[in-house]
Amino acid sequence: MAILNILNENRNLFELRKKSRPVEKINRRITTLLDDMRETVKHAEGIGLAAPQVGVLRQVVIIEIEDGDLIEMINPEIIYKDGEQIEIEGCLSSPGKYAETIRPATVKVAYTDRNGDRKEREGTELLARAFCHEIDHLNGVLCFDNAQRILSKEELDEMRKDEQESE
Ligand code: CO
């Protein structure tokens, strides 16, 4: 396994704007990509990663919010969404930047797993947001595009202070 370079919106916005193509055949290249993406997201202390963020324009996403609950999605699509949630969101391709975004409260996705089986999974709260965020990446969409607002430096400092106090 390898830790891959994560593209940064400041340097690689052109690449991050490209649309990813569906995976037609799950071969060794795809399973290795999934393995490497998991290692990369763990190393970056993130919760999700889309293949275009590591320069591979394929519809491949991984999400691991809770340790051990790894969701590997090939050709994912949102098949149901309901409600609304407003939360603060960040992205590994935009370190230090956070935005307030509106997402559905509940999201159901269909996807193919690494064994080629078509699966469905429903998520709420953070998982619902992660589904939307990562699938957006496959279409060249970043979470700041449709954000309500980008957090200011003062708000970020305040957030960090709160985090430190709660530790
Ligand atoms: Co992202």
Side-chain angles (χ1 to χ4, degrees), residues 11 24 26 40 58 99 104 129 154 158-159:
R11 294 187 298 269
E24 275 154 29
I26 301 167
T40 303
R58 284 283 182 272
R129 307 178 68 74
E154 288 71 29
E158 200 60 36
M159 244 171 69

Side-chain angles (χ1 to χ4, degrees), residues 48 53 90-93 133-134 137 142-143:
Q53 288 182 279
C91 178
L92 289 176
S93 291
H133 180 117
E134 302 308 337
H137 272 300
L142 303 176
C143 66

